[in-house]
Amino acid sequence: MKEINISCYSNKRVRTLIRFFNHIFINSIQPDINMAEEFVDRYIPETKKFILGSTKGNLKNLNNILFVSDNEKRIKEEFEEKRIFVRY
């Protein structure tokens, strides 16, 4: 799964809504594409170009994309380090 950094958005509400929108697709709920576009237009219009650019214009590609922030990446790396340390 390809990770795309959303830390360029300083607004936590925007980052949360992008993650929510992303997880709808990842968890196989697969909303109608028109409904997905309506969600973006209504709640996070400032991210429309970013999301469409990330998916190459096809929102179905969200199945293979995970939006993450710098903090999430850091936490994930720390967790992996601890897990590796505990193993050995």
Side-chain angles (χ1 to χ4, degrees):
M1 185 164 295
K2 180 179 175 183
E3 289 187 353
I4 297 182
N5 194 333
I6 58 172
S7 293
C8 58
Y9 293 100
S10 58
N11 187 321
K12 285 184 180 184
R13 179 193 69 83
V14 170
R15 288 195 314 255
T16 300
L17 287 171
I18 290 173
R19 280 191 213 98
F20 172 73
F21 181 66
N22 190 200
H23 285 290
I24 287 172
F25 281 85
I26 290 172
N27 292 317
S28 299
I29 296 171
Q30 294 284 325
D32 177 76
I33 295 302
N34 292 330
M35 292 176 71
E37 288 179 5
E38 184 179 316
F39 177 90
V40 172
D41 288 339
R42 183 175 293 169
Y43 298 107
I44 44 176
E46 61 268 47
T47 67
K48 188 169 187 169
K49 285 184 182 178
F50 178 78
I51 290 173
L52 290 177
S54 300
T55 61
K56 298 180 182 167
N58 184 355
L59 293 177
K60 289 183 180 182
N61 291 336
L62 283 166
N63 286 327
N64 303 315
I65 294 174
L66 181 62
F67 290 110
V68 296
S69 66
D70 287 337
N71 287 340
E72 287 172 307
K73 282 184 170 186
R74 181 183 50 77
I75 290 168
K76 185 177 177 180
E77 288 169 2
E78 288 175 3
F79 177 75
E80 287 297 319
E81 287 174 9
K82 287 180 183 177
R83 193 170 76 162
I84 290 170
F85 181 74
V86 170
R87 257 191 212 162
Y88 299 105

